[in-house]
Every structure is written in structure tokens, then in C-alpha cells.
Amino acid sequence: QRPYYESSEKAYPDLVYDRDYRHAYLVVYEDLSTYDSSKRFEDVEPDLRSKWEQSKAESRLSWEEAKHASRDAWNRLRP
């Protein structure tokens, strides 16, 4: 139901959350505690991008497509 997901569905009609988006959320969920609470998403984006590139598994999304989901996770978990 997120706008970025709907946009990706147009590019990948067979989009599957577990294959294509799951890791974009996990790079934030798994490592959030390693970042200072004063950091903004923009401050850690290069690191998250690197982690995404290493862990994206079978996802067909580029970081530019996946980062919106990572930002979503970041914003949900940060006060």
C-alpha cells in the first residue's frame, strides 16, 4: 500500500515482497541499534546502501528503488 511499492509493481509486475523488498527493511531493522540516535536517515544512507548491496539476495530492485522502504523502516523505528 506504499507509493514506492506501487511504483515498483509497474516495473516488475511479478513483484514479491519477500524476494524484492524484505531486505530493504531488514538492513534497518537488524542494524538500527548500531547508529547513534541523533543520526538521520541521510546520515547513514551510504552505509545502508552498502549493506543493501551485500544482502539484497534475489531482489531485482536497485538501491534507488529499495531505499524508500529502508527510509520507511527508519522512520517507523525512530522517535
Side-chain angles (χ1 to χ4, degrees), residues 16-68:
V16 176
Y17 170 83
D18 283 338
R19 177 183 60 197
D20 295 303
Y21 269 106
R22 184 171 179 259
H23 293 287
Y25 290 101
L26 286 177
V27 295
V28 173
Y29 289 138
E30 291 176 347
D31 294 322
L32 185 67
S33 65
T34 64
Y35 301 111
D36 185 287
S37 62
S38 66
K39 296 285 186 184
R40 300 172 307 135
F41 180 83
E42 293 76 14
D43 299 329
V44 300
E45 183 182 346
D47 188 47
L48 294 174
R49 178 185 187 141
S50 176
K51 290 176 182 177
W52 162 255
E53 294 296 337
Q54 294 172 16
S55 69
K56 70 185 231 171
E58 296 178 12
S59 177
R60 297 165 289 169
L61 303 177
S62 68
W63 172 248
E64 290 304 311
E65 294 167 313
K67 78 176 177 181
H68 304 291

Short mmCIF file of all heavy atoms in Angstrom, two decimals, residues 16-68:
data_model
loop_
_atom_site.label_atom_id
_atom_site.label_comp_id
_atom_site.label_asym_id
_atom_site.label_seq_id
_atom_site.Cartn_x
_atom_site.Cartn_y
_atom_site.Cartn_z
N VAL A 16 7.39 -9.45 -5.60
CA VAL A 16 7.11 -10.27 -4.43
C VAL A 16 7.83 -9.64 -3.24
O VAL A 16 9.04 -9.42 -3.28
CB VAL A 16 7.61 -11.72 -4.63
CG1 VAL A 16 7.41 -12.55 -3.38
CG2 VAL A 16 6.93 -12.35 -5.84
N TYR A 17 7.08 -9.33 -2.18
CA TYR A 17 7.67 -8.67 -1.01
C TYR A 17 8.90 -9.41 -0.51
O TYR A 17 9.95 -8.83 -0.32
CB TYR A 17 6.63 -8.54 0.10
CG TYR A 17 7.25 -8.09 1.40
CD1 TYR A 17 7.50 -6.75 1.64
CD2 TYR A 17 7.63 -9.03 2.36
CE1 TYR A 17 8.11 -6.34 2.81
CE2 TYR A 17 8.24 -8.62 3.54
CZ TYR A 17 8.48 -7.29 3.75
OH TYR A 17 9.09 -6.88 4.91
N ASP A 18 8.76 -10.71 -0.24
CA ASP A 18 9.87 -11.46 0.35
C ASP A 18 11.11 -11.46 -0.53
O ASP A 18 12.22 -11.41 -0.02
CB ASP A 18 9.46 -12.90 0.66
CG ASP A 18 8.62 -13.00 1.91
OD1 ASP A 18 8.69 -12.08 2.76
OD2 ASP A 18 7.88 -13.99 2.05
N ARG A 19 10.94 -11.50 -1.80
CA ARG A 19 12.09 -11.51 -2.70
C ARG A 19 12.63 -10.10 -2.94
O ARG A 19 13.83 -9.89 -2.94
CB ARG A 19 11.73 -12.15 -4.05
CG ARG A 19 12.92 -12.11 -5.03
CD ARG A 19 12.56 -12.67 -6.38
NE ARG A 19 11.48 -11.90 -6.97
CZ ARG A 19 10.73 -12.32 -7.98
NH1 ARG A 19 10.93 -13.51 -8.49
NH2 ARG A 19 9.77 -11.57 -8.46
N ASP A 20 11.75 -9.14 -3.16
CA ASP A 20 12.20 -7.84 -3.64
C ASP A 20 12.34 -6.75 -2.58
O ASP A 20 13.19 -5.87 -2.73
CB ASP A 20 11.25 -7.37 -4.75
CG ASP A 20 11.32 -8.27 -5.96
OD1 ASP A 20 12.42 -8.45 -6.51
OD2 ASP A 20 10.28 -8.82 -6.35
N TYR A 21 11.55 -6.78 -1.53
CA TYR A 21 11.59 -5.68 -0.56
C TYR A 21 12.07 -6.08 0.84
O TYR A 21 12.52 -5.23 1.60
CB TYR A 21 10.21 -5.02 -0.42
CG TYR A 21 10.04 -3.87 -1.37
CD1 TYR A 21 9.23 -4.00 -2.49
CD2 TYR A 21 10.69 -2.67 -1.16
CE1 TYR A 21 9.07 -2.94 -3.37
CE2 TYR A 21 10.54 -1.61 -2.04
CZ TYR A 21 9.73 -1.76 -3.14
OH TYR A 21 9.59 -0.72 -4.00
N ARG A 22 11.97 -7.30 1.17
CA ARG A 22 12.27 -7.75 2.54
C ARG A 22 13.61 -7.24 3.04
O ARG A 22 13.73 -6.71 4.15
CB ARG A 22 12.21 -9.26 2.60
CG ARG A 22 12.40 -9.82 3.98
CD ARG A 22 12.10 -11.33 3.95
NE ARG A 22 12.31 -11.88 5.25
CZ ARG A 22 13.40 -12.56 5.58
NH1 ARG A 22 14.35 -12.77 4.69
NH2 ARG A 22 13.54 -13.04 6.79
N HIS A 23 14.64 -7.38 2.26
CA HIS A 23 15.99 -6.99 2.70
C HIS A 23 16.14 -5.48 2.85
O HIS A 23 16.96 -5.01 3.63
CB HIS A 23 17.04 -7.56 1.76
CG HIS A 23 17.13 -9.06 1.84
ND1 HIS A 23 17.67 -9.71 2.90
CD2 HIS A 23 16.70 -10.01 0.99
CE1 HIS A 23 17.58 -11.02 2.72
NE2 HIS A 23 16.99 -11.22 1.56
N ALA A 24 15.34 -4.72 2.13
CA ALA A 24 15.39 -3.26 2.27
C ALA A 24 14.95 -2.84 3.67
O ALA A 24 15.48 -1.89 4.24
CB ALA A 24 14.51 -2.59 1.22
N TYR A 25 14.00 -3.57 4.23
CA TYR A 25 13.58 -3.31 5.61
C TYR A 25 14.59 -3.89 6.60
O TYR A 25 14.91 -3.28 7.61
CB TYR A 25 12.20 -3.92 5.88
CG TYR A 25 11.08 -3.23 5.17
CD1 TYR A 25 10.53 -3.77 4.01
CD2 TYR A 25 10.56 -2.04 5.65
CE1 TYR A 25 9.48 -3.14 3.35
CE2 TYR A 25 9.52 -1.40 5.00
CZ TYR A 25 8.99 -1.97 3.85
OH TYR A 25 7.96 -1.33 3.19
N LEU A 26 15.09 -5.06 6.29
CA LEU A 26 15.99 -5.75 7.22
C LEU A 26 17.29 -5.00 7.46
O LEU A 26 17.83 -5.06 8.57
CB LEU A 26 16.29 -7.16 6.73
CG LEU A 26 15.15 -8.17 6.89
CD1 LEU A 26 15.54 -9.52 6.30
CD2 LEU A 26 14.75 -8.31 8.34
N VAL A 27 17.83 -4.32 6.45
CA VAL A 27 19.09 -3.61 6.68
C VAL A 27 18.93 -2.57 7.77
O VAL A 27 19.89 -2.25 8.47
CB VAL A 27 19.69 -2.97 5.40
CG1 VAL A 27 20.07 -4.02 4.39
CG2 VAL A 27 18.78 -1.93 4.79
N VAL A 28 17.74 -2.05 7.94
CA VAL A 28 17.49 -1.09 9.02
C VAL A 28 17.17 -1.83 10.32
O VAL A 28 17.76 -1.55 11.36
CB VAL A 28 16.34 -0.12 8.66
CG1 VAL A 28 15.97 0.75 9.84
CG2 VAL A 28 16.74 0.74 7.47
N TYR A 29 16.24 -2.76 10.28
CA TYR A 29 15.82 -3.46 11.49
C TYR A 29 17.00 -4.14 12.19
O TYR A 29 17.11 -4.12 13.40
CB TYR A 29 14.75 -4.51 11.18
CG TYR A 29 13.41 -3.94 10.81
CD1 TYR A 29 12.67 -4.48 9.77
CD2 TYR A 29 12.86 -2.86 11.50
CE1 TYR A 29 11.44 -3.97 9.42
CE2 TYR A 29 11.62 -2.34 11.16
CZ TYR A 29 10.92 -2.90 10.12
OH TYR A 29 9.69 -2.39 9.78
N GLU A 30 17.86 -4.77 11.42
CA GLU A 30 18.95 -5.54 12.00
C GLU A 30 20.06 -4.67 12.59
O GLU A 30 20.74 -5.09 13.51
CB GLU A 30 19.53 -6.50 10.96
CG GLU A 30 18.58 -7.61 10.60
CD GLU A 30 19.09 -8.52 9.51
OE1 GLU A 30 20.10 -8.17 8.84
OE2 GLU A 30 18.49 -9.59 9.31
N ASP A 31 20.26 -3.48 12.06
CA ASP A 31 21.41 -2.68 12.47
C ASP A 31 21.05 -1.33 13.10
O ASP A 31 21.94 -0.52 13.35
CB ASP A 31 22.33 -2.44 11.27
CG ASP A 31 22.98 -3.73 10.79
OD1 ASP A 31 23.32 -4.56 11.63
OD2 ASP A 31 23.12 -3.89 9.57
N LEU A 32 19.81 -1.09 13.36
CA LEU A 32 19.40 0.21 13.88
C LEU A 32 20.16 0.59 15.15
O LEU A 32 20.58 1.73 15.33
CB LEU A 32 17.90 0.25 14.12
CG LEU A 32 17.34 1.59 14.56
CD1 LEU A 32 17.45 2.60 13.42
CD2 LEU A 32 15.89 1.44 14.98
N SER A 33 20.35 -0.37 16.03
CA SER A 33 21.00 -0.08 17.32
C SER A 33 22.46 0.33 17.17
O SER A 33 23.05 0.88 18.10
CB SER A 33 20.88 -1.27 18.26
OG SER A 33 21.59 -2.37 17.74
N THR A 34 23.06 0.10 16.02
CA THR A 34 24.46 0.48 15.82
C THR A 34 24.61 1.95 15.46
O THR A 34 25.73 2.46 15.46
CB THR A 34 25.12 -0.38 14.72
OG1 THR A 34 24.48 -0.12 13.47
CG2 THR A 34 25.05 -1.86 15.05
N TYR A 35 23.51 2.63 15.18
CA TYR A 35 23.57 4.03 14.79
C TYR A 35 23.16 4.92 15.96
O TYR A 35 22.20 4.63 16.66
CB TYR A 35 22.63 4.31 13.60
CG TYR A 35 22.97 3.49 12.39
CD1 TYR A 35 22.13 2.49 11.95
CD2 TYR A 35 24.15 3.71 11.69
CE1 TYR A 35 22.43 1.73 10.83
CE2 TYR A 35 24.47 2.95 10.58
CZ TYR A 35 23.60 1.96 10.16
OH TYR A 35 23.92 1.21 9.05
N ASP A 36 23.90 6.00 16.14
CA ASP A 36 23.59 6.98 17.16
C ASP A 36 22.16 7.48 16.95
O ASP A 36 21.75 7.73 15.82
CB ASP A 36 24.58 8.14 17.05
CG ASP A 36 24.41 9.16 18.14
OD1 ASP A 36 23.42 9.92 18.07
OD2 ASP A 36 25.25 9.19 19.04
N SER A 37 21.42 7.65 18.02
CA SER A 37 20.01 8.05 17.90
C SER A 37 19.82 9.44 17.31
O SER A 37 18.72 9.78 16.89
CB SER A 37 19.32 7.96 19.26
OG SER A 37 19.91 8.85 20.17
N SER A 38 20.87 10.23 17.27
CA SER A 38 20.76 11.57 16.68
C SER A 38 20.93 11.56 15.16
O SER A 38 20.70 12.57 14.49
CB SER A 38 21.79 12.51 17.30
OG SER A 38 23.10 12.10 16.94
N LYS A 39 21.33 10.42 14.62
CA LYS A 39 21.55 10.32 13.17
C LYS A 39 20.24 10.35 12.41
O LYS A 39 19.24 9.80 12.84
CB LYS A 39 22.30 9.03 12.83
CG LYS A 39 23.68 8.94 13.40
CD LYS A 39 24.62 9.82 12.66
CE LYS A 39 26.04 9.60 13.16
NZ LYS A 39 26.97 10.49 12.55
N ARG A 40 20.29 10.99 11.26
CA ARG A 40 19.15 10.99 10.35
C ARG A 40 19.38 9.92 9.29
O ARG A 40 20.51 9.45 9.11
CB ARG A 40 19.03 12.35 9.66
CG ARG A 40 18.83 13.51 10.60
CD ARG A 40 18.91 14.86 9.89
NE ARG A 40 20.16 14.95 9.14
CZ ARG A 40 20.27 15.40 7.89
NH1 ARG A 40 19.23 15.84 7.24
NH2 ARG A 40 21.43 15.43 7.27
N PHE A 41 18.34 9.56 8.60
CA PHE A 41 18.46 8.56 7.54
C PHE A 41 19.53 8.97 6.54
O PHE A 41 20.35 8.17 6.12
CB PHE A 41 17.11 8.37 6.83
CG PHE A 41 17.17 7.35 5.73
CD1 PHE A 41 17.07 6.01 6.00
CD2 PHE A 41 17.35 7.75 4.40
CE1 PHE A 41 17.14 5.06 4.98
CE2 PHE A 41 17.42 6.82 3.39
CZ PHE A 41 17.32 5.47 3.68
N GLU A 42 19.53 10.24 6.17
CA GLU A 42 20.50 10.75 5.19
C GLU A 42 21.94 10.57 5.67
O GLU A 42 22.84 10.39 4.86
CB GLU A 42 20.23 12.23 4.88
CG GLU A 42 18.93 12.48 4.17
CD GLU A 42 17.69 12.40 5.06
OE1 GLU A 42 17.81 12.40 6.31
OE2 GLU A 42 16.58 12.30 4.49
N ASP A 43 22.14 10.60 6.97
CA ASP A 43 23.49 10.44 7.54
C ASP A 43 24.00 9.01 7.37
O ASP A 43 25.21 8.79 7.23
CB ASP A 43 23.50 10.79 9.03
CG ASP A 43 23.11 12.22 9.31
OD1 ASP A 43 23.38 13.10 8.46
OD2 ASP A 43 22.53 12.47 10.39
N VAL A 44 23.11 8.05 7.44
CA VAL A 44 23.51 6.64 7.40
C VAL A 44 23.20 5.98 6.06
O VAL A 44 23.54 4.81 5.86
CB VAL A 44 22.87 5.85 8.55
CG1 VAL A 44 23.28 6.42 9.90
CG2 VAL A 44 21.38 5.79 8.43
N GLU A 45 22.61 6.70 5.15
CA GLU A 45 22.22 6.11 3.88
C GLU A 45 23.38 5.44 3.14
O GLU A 45 23.21 4.32 2.62
CB GLU A 45 21.54 7.14 2.97
CG GLU A 45 21.06 6.51 1.67
CD GLU A 45 20.43 7.49 0.71
OE1 GLU A 45 20.11 8.63 1.11
OE2 GLU A 45 20.27 7.10 -0.45
N PRO A 46 24.57 6.05 3.08
CA PRO A 46 25.66 5.34 2.38
C PRO A 46 25.97 3.97 2.99
O PRO A 46 26.21 3.01 2.26
CB PRO A 46 26.85 6.30 2.52
CG PRO A 46 26.23 7.64 2.71
CD PRO A 46 24.98 7.39 3.51
N ASP A 47 25.92 3.89 4.30
CA ASP A 47 26.16 2.61 4.96
C ASP A 47 25.04 1.62 4.68
O ASP A 47 25.29 0.45 4.39
CB ASP A 47 26.31 2.84 6.47
CG ASP A 47 26.76 1.58 7.19
OD1 ASP A 47 27.72 0.93 6.72
OD2 ASP A 47 26.16 1.26 8.23
N LEU A 48 23.81 2.09 4.75
CA LEU A 48 22.67 1.22 4.45
C LEU A 48 22.70 0.74 3.01
O LEU A 48 22.39 -0.41 2.72
CB LEU A 48 21.35 1.93 4.74
CG LEU A 48 21.08 2.27 6.21
CD1 LEU A 48 19.81 3.10 6.34
CD2 LEU A 48 20.99 1.00 7.04
N ARG A 49 23.11 1.62 2.12
CA ARG A 49 23.22 1.24 0.70
C ARG A 49 24.22 0.11 0.54
O ARG A 49 23.96 -0.87 -0.17
CB ARG A 49 23.62 2.44 -0.14
CG ARG A 49 23.78 2.08 -1.59
CD ARG A 49 24.31 3.23 -2.42
NE ARG A 49 24.26 2.86 -3.82
CZ ARG A 49 23.92 3.66 -4.79
NH1 ARG A 49 23.61 4.92 -4.55
NH2 ARG A 49 23.89 3.24 -6.02
N SER A 50 25.35 0.25 1.18
CA SER A 50 26.38 -0.79 1.12
C SER A 50 25.84 -2.12 1.65
O SER A 50 26.05 -3.18 1.05
CB SER A 50 27.60 -0.35 1.91
OG SER A 50 28.56 -1.35 1.93
N LYS A 51 25.15 -2.06 2.78
CA LYS A 51 24.57 -3.27 3.35
C LYS A 51 23.52 -3.86 2.42
O LYS A 51 23.41 -5.09 2.29
CB LYS A 51 23.98 -2.98 4.73
CG LYS A 51 25.06 -2.71 5.75
CD LYS A 51 24.49 -2.33 7.08
CE LYS A 51 25.65 -2.04 8.03
NZ LYS A 51 25.21 -1.59 9.32
N TRP A 52 22.73 -3.00 1.78
CA TRP A 52 21.73 -3.46 0.83
C TRP A 52 22.41 -4.21 -0.32
O TRP A 52 22.00 -5.29 -0.70
CB TRP A 52 20.92 -2.29 0.29
CG TRP A 52 20.18 -2.59 -0.97
CD1 TRP A 52 20.51 -2.18 -2.23
CD2 TRP A 52 19.00 -3.38 -1.12
NE1 TRP A 52 19.60 -2.66 -3.14
CE2 TRP A 52 18.67 -3.42 -2.48
CE3 TRP A 52 18.20 -4.07 -0.22
CZ2 TRP A 52 17.58 -4.10 -2.96
CZ3 TRP A 52 17.11 -4.76 -0.72
CH2 TRP A 52 16.80 -4.76 -2.07
N GLU A 53 23.44 -3.62 -0.86
CA GLU A 53 24.13 -4.24 -2.00
C GLU A 53 24.71 -5.61 -1.62
O GLU A 53 24.74 -6.51 -2.46
CB GLU A 53 25.24 -3.33 -2.52
CG GLU A 53 24.73 -2.04 -3.14
CD GLU A 53 23.88 -2.24 -4.39
OE1 GLU A 53 23.98 -3.28 -5.06
OE2 GLU A 53 23.08 -1.34 -4.68
N GLN A 54 25.11 -5.77 -0.37
CA GLN A 54 25.67 -7.04 0.08
C GLN A 54 24.60 -8.07 0.43
O GLN A 54 24.86 -9.27 0.37
CB GLN A 54 26.56 -6.81 1.30
CG GLN A 54 27.79 -6.01 1.01
CD GLN A 54 28.54 -5.64 2.27
OE1 GLN A 54 28.32 -6.20 3.34
NE2 GLN A 54 29.43 -4.67 2.15
N SER A 55 23.42 -7.61 0.82
CA SER A 55 22.42 -8.54 1.35
C SER A 55 21.14 -8.64 0.53
O SER A 55 20.21 -9.31 0.96
CB SER A 55 22.06 -8.14 2.78
OG SER A 55 21.33 -6.94 2.78
N LYS A 56 21.09 -8.00 -0.61
CA LYS A 56 19.82 -7.93 -1.34
C LYS A 56 19.37 -9.27 -1.91
O LYS A 56 18.24 -9.40 -2.36
CB LYS A 56 19.86 -6.86 -2.42
CG LYS A 56 20.75 -7.16 -3.58
CD LYS A 56 20.79 -5.97 -4.50
CE LYS A 56 20.51 -6.37 -5.91
NZ LYS A 56 20.35 -5.25 -6.80
N ALA A 57 20.26 -10.24 -1.88
CA ALA A 57 19.91 -11.60 -2.33
C ALA A 57 19.31 -11.58 -3.73
O ALA A 57 19.93 -11.07 -4.64
CB ALA A 57 19.00 -12.27 -1.31
N GLU A 58 18.09 -12.07 -3.89
CA GLU A 58 17.47 -12.19 -5.21
C GLU A 58 16.67 -10.96 -5.63
O GLU A 58 16.06 -10.96 -6.69
CB GLU A 58 16.56 -13.42 -5.24
CG GLU A 58 17.28 -14.72 -5.05
CD GLU A 58 16.34 -15.90 -5.03
OE1 GLU A 58 15.15 -15.75 -5.38
OE2 GLU A 58 16.79 -16.98 -4.65
N SER A 59 16.67 -9.94 -4.80
CA SER A 59 15.89 -8.75 -5.14
C SER A 59 16.36 -8.15 -6.46
O SER A 59 17.55 -8.08 -6.75
CB SER A 59 16.02 -7.69 -4.05
OG SER A 59 15.31 -6.53 -4.43
N ARG A 60 15.40 -7.71 -7.24
CA ARG A 60 15.73 -7.08 -8.52
C ARG A 60 15.81 -5.56 -8.40
O ARG A 60 16.14 -4.87 -9.35
CB ARG A 60 14.65 -7.45 -9.55
CG ARG A 60 14.63 -8.95 -9.81
CD ARG A 60 13.38 -9.37 -10.52
NE ARG A 60 12.25 -9.26 -9.58
CZ ARG A 60 10.99 -9.37 -9.95
NH1 ARG A 60 10.67 -9.57 -11.19
NH2 ARG A 60 10.02 -9.27 -9.06
N LEU A 61 15.52 -5.04 -7.24
CA LEU A 61 15.47 -3.60 -7.05
C LEU A 61 16.87 -3.00 -6.91
O LEU A 61 17.75 -3.58 -6.30
CB LEU A 61 14.67 -3.26 -5.80
CG LEU A 61 13.24 -3.77 -5.73
CD1 LEU A 61 12.62 -3.41 -4.40
CD2 LEU A 61 12.42 -3.23 -6.88
N SER A 62 17.02 -1.82 -7.46
CA SER A 62 18.23 -1.06 -7.24
C SER A 62 18.10 -0.39 -5.87
O SER A 62 17.01 -0.34 -5.30
CB SER A 62 18.39 0.01 -8.32
OG SER A 62 17.38 0.99 -8.17
N TRP A 63 19.19 0.17 -5.36
CA TRP A 63 19.09 0.90 -4.10
C TRP A 63 18.13 2.07 -4.24
O TRP A 63 17.37 2.36 -3.33
CB TRP A 63 20.46 1.38 -3.63
CG TRP A 63 20.33 2.29 -2.44
CD1 TRP A 63 20.61 3.62 -2.40
CD2 TRP A 63 19.87 1.94 -1.14
NE1 TRP A 63 20.34 4.13 -1.15
CE2 TRP A 63 19.88 3.11 -0.35
CE3 TRP A 63 19.44 0.76 -0.55
CZ2 TRP A 63 19.49 3.13 0.99
CZ3 TRP A 63 19.04 0.78 0.78
CH2 TRP A 63 19.07 1.96 1.53
N GLU A 64 18.15 2.74 -5.37
CA GLU A 64 17.25 3.88 -5.56
C GLU A 64 15.79 3.47 -5.43
O GLU A 64 14.97 4.25 -4.97
CB GLU A 64 17.50 4.55 -6.91
CG GLU A 64 18.82 5.29 -6.97
CD GLU A 64 18.99 6.32 -5.87
OE1 GLU A 64 18.06 7.14 -5.66
OE2 GLU A 64 20.03 6.33 -5.21
N GLU A 65 15.47 2.25 -5.80
CA GLU A 65 14.10 1.75 -5.65
C GLU A 65 13.84 1.25 -4.23
O GLU A 65 12.76 1.45 -3.68
CB GLU A 65 13.84 0.61 -6.64
CG GLU A 65 13.88 1.06 -8.08
CD GLU A 65 13.95 -0.10 -9.05
OE1 GLU A 65 14.77 -1.03 -8.85
OE2 GLU A 65 13.18 -0.06 -10.02
N ALA A 66 14.83 0.61 -3.63
CA ALA A 66 14.66 -0.02 -2.32
C ALA A 66 14.82 0.95 -1.16
O ALA A 66 14.27 0.71 -0.08
CB ALA A 66 15.68 -1.14 -2.17
N LYS A 67 15.53 2.06 -1.37
CA LYS A 67 15.81 2.94 -0.24
C LYS A 67 14.55 3.55 0.37
O LYS A 67 14.54 3.88 1.55
CB LYS A 67 16.80 4.03 -0.62
CG LYS A 67 16.23 5.17 -1.42
CD LYS A 67 17.30 6.22 -1.64
CE LYS A 67 16.79 7.35 -2.50
NZ LYS A 67 17.83 8.33 -2.72
N HIS A 68 13.48 3.65 -0.39
CA HIS A 68 12.24 4.19 0.15
C HIS A 68 11.69 3.28 1.25
O HIS A 68 11.17 3.75 2.25
CB HIS A 68 11.21 4.41 -0.96
CG HIS A 68 11.73 5.29 -2.04
ND1 HIS A 68 11.98 6.63 -1.86
CD2 HIS A 68 12.09 5.01 -3.32
CE1 HIS A 68 12.45 7.15 -2.98
NE2 HIS A 68 12.52 6.18 -3.87
#
